[in-house]
Amino acid sequence: SGDIENLPVPVLYRDFIGHTLYYQSINDSESYFRSLLGGIDEPVYPFELSDTLGDGRGIKESSLLLSGELSRGLREVCTGLGISPAVLFYAAYGLVVGRCSNKRYAIFGSVFSGRLQGSLGAADSLGLFIN
């Protein structure tokens, strides 16, 4: 109490929505992606498996905790490239799927946080930010 004047000016979620709607109205992303991906006419399936086999009971899961040194190194690379570690692993996953499909690429989708692509101050605003 008594320090209210020292608080930053709040960033409103509606400002982010306005920013997003404006850029959607001036951005022709459909044409961009058609020119980039229009020549792709077949899906990419790892190991040519287009469907799940069985009831899923035999699925095995694996996880690996990265060493502190490797984790710091990856974060430094990401900082240098101006991307998040999530984007780096997303790209790596695409390369693995592509190679397992005997292709140079794999196109797939995922929901990512949209705060980094948002308007100024979006990182300090409350609200749902997905692309």
Side-chain angles (χ1 to χ4, degrees):
S1 67
D3 292 330
I4 293 174
E5 63 277 354
N6 294 327
L7 292 173
V9 175
V11 178
L12 301 177
Y13 184 62
R14 70 175 182 217
D15 293 343
F16 172 78
I17 295 300
H19 172 85
T20 301
L21 292 175
Y22 170 73
Y23 275 98
Q24 283 179 346
S25 72
I26 64 168
N27 182 7
D28 187 11
S29 58
E30 182 178 349
S31 293
Y32 170 77
F33 283 107
R34 279 192 191 282
S35 70
L36 188 67
L37 308 173
I40 298 172
D41 57 0
E42 62 183 24
V44 175
Y45 298 120
F47 310 109
E48 298 181 12
L49 297 173
S50 63
D51 200 357
T52 305
L53 303 176
D55 60 6
R57 292 184 196 184
I59 294 174
K60 295 181 181 176
E61 188 173 309
S62 179
S63 63
L64 173 70
L65 185 61
L66 300 179
S67 70
E69 181 181 351
L70 180 56
S71 181
R72 281 187 296 279
L74 289 171
R75 288 188 183 278
E76 287 175 16
V77 167
C78 290
T79 299
L81 294 172
I83 63 173
S84 72
V87 171
L88 178 70
F89 283 106
Y90 189 74
Y93 176 75
L95 289 173
V96 169
V97 170
R99 297 305 188 271
C100 292
S101 306
N102 201 27
K103 302 281 184 188
R104 294 182 54 223
Y105 57 83
I107 299 172
F108 56 96
S110 178
V111 177
F112 263 98
S113 170
R115 287 183 189 268
L116 297 178
Q117 294 79 30
S119 60
L120 185 62
D124 298 322
S125 178
L126 296 175
L128 178 63
F129 291 79
I130 58 175
N131 60 353

